[in-house]
């Protein structure tokens, strides 16, 4: 089964800004630049986990999911094929670019690309944060979590839950916000899908840091750097993460948080929350006037 969120790749006309935003605000380490000029960021000993490529418009290019080893990956891909999913093998160049040994990819019903990999390249003992920071909760928990926008939650669950095999953590069900949260390791969720009728896209990437002070200094630095804060400090009902949301140079958001719970499948029961936050996470003026991420009109690309 899928073991962790390994990486994401985004295209953006403002990719160069990530050299400073990614290090000085987020506290990521810098990885090697891509051949196309991509900025690559690290949060742990993996060679890179966030890639921002040059592009004409902001776009989520792919999300990468790691397996324990190549045999686990091969067995999983075979199950997908038997379920009728179109699985495309990755090329040597793609493996080199992503920093993995094996790669294959699929698209969800609306065309969002998911890559399944094993053998992610690591350089033990080499991670150094880009600003004073106690570090990220990553390694075996993966990069963090991604929240994708989908037009229909039931259809999304048929793909992400039933076919890809993500385990439901819980739901938020309120009038304006319907979200399903999924885990693939102890992190409460590595993936969530939020329903926006008629739309598909990428809402946010969550990065979890090791101390509340790292969140506070991140908030100060975001304001100083002019990165719009879209939701103020707050604490989520489900994963108990204390976090805030800011707009990145590339239209999606970063949730920057601390203190997420760890779930254990032996005891975890999926509940439903009627609101997303215990306190805070109030929309700012910028939050009220900014689109919720990189958004496109939804078009079904697979049956
Ligand atoms: Fe989140």
């Amino acid at each position: 089964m899928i073991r962790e969120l390994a990486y994401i790749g985004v295209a953006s006309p403002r990719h160069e800004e990530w050299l400073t935003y990614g290090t000085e605000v987020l506290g990521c380490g810098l990885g090697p630049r891509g051949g196309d000029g991509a900025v690559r960021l690290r949060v742990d000993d993996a060679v890179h986990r966030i890639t921002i490529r040059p592009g004409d418009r902001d776009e989520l290019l792919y999300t990468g999911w790691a397996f324990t080893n190549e045999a686990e990956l091969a067995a999983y891909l075979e199950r997908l094929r038997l379920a009728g999913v179109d699985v495309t093998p990755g090329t040597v160049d793609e493996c080199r670019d992503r920093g993995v040994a094996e790669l294959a990819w699929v698209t969800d019903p609306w065309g969002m690309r998911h890559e399944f990999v094993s053998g992610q390249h690591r350089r033990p003992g080499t991670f150094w944060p880009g600003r004073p920071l106690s570090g990220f909760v990553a390694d075996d928990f993966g990069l963090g979590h991604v929240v994708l926008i989908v037009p229909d939650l039931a259809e999304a669950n048929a793909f992400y839950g039933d076919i890809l095999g993500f385990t439901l953590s819980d739901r938020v069900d309120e009038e304006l916000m319907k979200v399903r949260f999924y885990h693939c390791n102890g992190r409460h969720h590595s993936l969530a899908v939020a329903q926006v009728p008629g739309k598909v896209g990428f809402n946010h990437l969550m990065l979890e840091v090791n101390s509340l002070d790292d969140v506070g200094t991140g908030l100060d630095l975001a304001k100083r750097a002019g990165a719009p804060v879209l939701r103020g400090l707050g604490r989520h009902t489900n994963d108990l993460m204390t976090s805030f949301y800011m707009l990145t140079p590339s239209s999606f958001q970063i949730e920057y948080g601390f203190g997420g719970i760890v779930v254990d499948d032996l005891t975890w029961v999926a509940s439903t929350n009627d609101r997303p936050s215990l306190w805070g996470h109030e929309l700012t003026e910028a939050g009220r006037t900014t689109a919720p991420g990189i958004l496109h009109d939804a078009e079904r690309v697979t049956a």
Side-chain angles (χ1 to χ4, degrees):
M1 294 305 295
I2 291 170
R3 188 62 175 261
E4 64 173 81
L5 174 63
Y7 57 80
I8 65 163
V10 170
S12 175
R14 293 170 62 188
H15 68 285
E16 287 277 346
E17 292 178 39
W18 285 79
L19 287 170
T20 49
Y21 172 73
T23 52
E24 293 171 16
V25 177
L26 301 182
C28 296
L30 265 190
R33 291 294 286 265
D36 58 355
V39 174
R40 288 179 166 142
L41 300 171
R42 310 179 72 190
V43 296
D44 60 10
D45 284 339
V47 286
H48 47 80
R49 288 190 184 265
I50 300 170
T51 297
I52 312 288
R53 301 184 179 287
D56 298 338
R57 62 190 172 103
D58 295 326
E59 191 182 358
L60 175 64
L61 298 173
Y62 49 79
T63 305
W65 302 96
F67 287 72
T68 317
N69 56 50
E70 59 192 321
E72 282 278 323
L73 173 62
Y76 179 81
L77 296 175
E78 190 52 32
R79 279 202 301 279
L80 292 188
R81 287 190 190 98
L82 289 172
V85 178
D86 197 2
V87 178
T88 306
T91 63
V92 172
D93 284 348
E94 284 169 334
C95 287
R96 192 177 300 131
D97 178 77
R98 310 301 195 263
V100 300
E102 288 89 23
L103 184 154
W105 59 272
V106 306
T107 59
D108 83 352
W110 304 281
M112 284 190 280
R113 173 165 165 153
H114 293 274
E115 300 183 347
F116 301 119
V117 304
S118 63
Q120 189 171 28
H121 296 186
R122 283 173 198 276
R123 291 179 191 149
T126 63
F127 174 69
W128 200 251
R131 69 173 178 91
L133 184 83
S134 60
F136 292 95
V137 179
D139 299 299
D140 294 348
F141 287 104
L143 168 61
H145 69 235
V146 287
V147 177
L148 304 178
I149 292 163
V150 296
D152 184 272
L153 277 193
E155 261 189 86
N157 186 60
F159 182 76
Y160 288 102
D162 300 345
I163 295 179
L164 295 194
F166 284 99
T167 306
L168 183 70
S169 306
D170 43 38
R171 287 170 264 208
V172 166
D173 191 350
E174 63 164 19
E175 197 161 328
L176 291 174
M177 188 182 287
K178 296 190 190 306
V179 189
R180 293 178 75 104
F181 300 84
Y182 299 92
H183 61 274
C184 56
N185 57 39
R187 192 188 289 284
H188 174 275
H189 57 286
S190 293
L191 169 73
V193 287
Q195 181 170 280
V196 178
K199 297 290 179 188
V200 57
F202 180 30
N203 173 252
H204 74 262
L205 167 70
M206 188 283 304
L207 296 176
E208 184 175 3
V209 284
N210 284 328
S211 87
L212 186 59
D213 290 333
D214 293 336
V215 177
T217 52
L219 185 54
D220 286 349
L221 289 166
K223 288 176 178 166
R224 209 172 299 160
V229 173
L230 303 181
R231 284 183 185 275
L233 206 58
R235 194 170 192 210
H236 280 303
T237 42
N238 58 359
D239 64 358
L240 301 182
M241 187 83 72
T242 302
S243 60
F244 71 96
Y245 292 74
M246 60 185 139
L247 184 63
T248 69
S250 305
S251 302
F252 67 97
Q253 304 173 16
I254 293 282
E255 178 185 5
Y256 202 71
F258 161 73
I261 58 167
V262 172
V263 303
D264 177 353
D265 273 324
L266 286 176
T267 53
W268 185 257
V269 175
S271 60
T272 302
N273 292 296
D274 60 4
R275 58 203 195 121
S277 304
L278 295 169
W279 52 266
H281 286 148
E282 225 173 300
L283 272 179
T284 61
E285 186 54 38
R288 272 189 286 274
T289 53
T290 303
I294 300 174
L295 273 189
H296 309 286
D297 289 336
E299 252 176 77
R300 288 188 63 98
V301 296
T302 55

